[in-house]
Amino acid sequence: MFENCVAATAEIGATHFSGVIYSRHVKPAVRRPDSAVWEMAAEGLREVAEHAESLGVIIGLEPVNRYETYLINTAEQALKLVKMIGADNVGIHLDTYHMNIEEKSFSDAVRTAGDKLIHIHLCENDRGIPGTGLVDWEDLFSALGEIQYRGNAALESFVDITDNMNTWVWRQLAKDGDTLVSEGTSFIRSMQRKYRLA
């Protein structure tokens, strides 16, 4: 399945394919994953990475919160799986929404990912407009500046429920989508400039 996704990524001219690709998203679980689960994920993704490399595509593993996966919740766990896969074209995709739940420190997570960080979702703790909630943006961007991050980034916030994915947004988080994007990107760009990332 993921081989097809990687092929589609290359066909549209994109260079990165990332997300929750190491385990079923929102998989029901009653116990912690054992070593066999980790090995199975690494083995499967090693094959995907090999196929992706032949197409010039980089794979990214996104840690998400405990309610969405039982396998990778932190940058440290993502790095463990990256090392187990052992392919140069596999990296880490962080997301501040999930980091706010699972990490002890935004900056430590960024440093842990280090040069394996290939993508970051910039989201507020409630998925609303960045800069209006509890995410420690100074801590995050200072670490991004420290590692001289030059990879991809995306604003991932929501103002409505969609019919093709679970956004779990039950209240209005911004006046509308345009307001969320304009105010969110303005804030993010100001942080990029402050930490010399733009």
Side-chain angles (χ1 to χ4, degrees):
M1 174 180 137
F2 287 129
E3 284 87 351
N4 293 336
C5 293
V6 167
T9 300
E11 284 172 17
I12 64 171
T15 57
H16 292 66
F17 174 71
S18 65
V20 185
I21 61 173
Y22 43 81
S23 177
R24 179 177 151 198
H25 187 231
V26 198
K27 176 181 178 177
V30 295
R31 64 183 58 86
R32 293 174 180 166
D34 59 19
S35 59
V37 172
W38 282 90
E39 289 294 343
M40 185 168 53
E43 182 180 346
L45 286 170
R46 200 173 293 119
E47 293 177 16
V48 174
E50 185 176 339
H51 179 59
E53 185 176 32
S54 71
L55 298 172
V57 173
I58 297 170
I59 303 296
L61 310 180
E62 181 184 11
V64 295
N65 71 74
R66 65 193 70 191
Y67 308 110
E68 296 182 43
T69 187
Y70 75 146
L71 190 58
I72 298 181
N73 305 128
T74 66
E76 183 177 18
Q77 291 174 313
L79 187 60
K80 172 184 173 180
L81 188 54
V82 166
K83 289 178 178 177
M84 288 176 69
I85 296 165
D88 291 338
N89 65 322
V90 179
I92 298 172
H93 164 172
L94 293 179
D95 183 315
T96 55
Y97 172 80
H98 301 291
M99 293 166 74
N100 185 66
I101 298 170
E102 299 295 345
E103 300 285 1
K104 299 292 188 185
S105 159
F106 289 96
S107 57
D108 286 349
V110 168
R111 290 186 196 103
T112 295
D115 63 2
K116 288 295 183 181
L117 183 60
I118 62 160
H119 189 73
I120 186 163
H121 280 165
L122 301 169
C123 327
E124 196 47 85
N125 67 286
D126 63 353
R127 292 284 198 194
I129 301 169
T132 64
L134 301 175
V135 168
D136 189 341
W137 296 101
E138 298 287 345
D139 191 49
L140 176 80
F141 274 91
S142 65
L144 291 172
E146 183 182 314
I147 69 166
Q148 298 181 8
Y149 181 66
R150 294 295 183 268
N152 296 322
L155 172 63
E156 187 186 50
S157 299
F158 308 104
V159 293
D160 210 345
I161 298 167
T162 61
D163 60 1
N164 64 348
M165 67 179 287
N166 292 322
T167 54
W168 298 294
V169 174
W170 309 119
R171 64 192 188 283
Q172 201 69 27
L173 299 175
K175 177 183 173 184
D176 52 42
D178 289 342
T179 301
L180 186 150
V181 170
S182 63
E183 293 184 9
T185 54
S186 177
F187 173 76
I188 289 166
R189 286 178 179 142
S190 72
M191 296 299 290
Q192 286 178 300
R193 288 190 297 271
K194 181 174 182 178
Y195 289 98
R196 297 184 175 91
L197 291 163

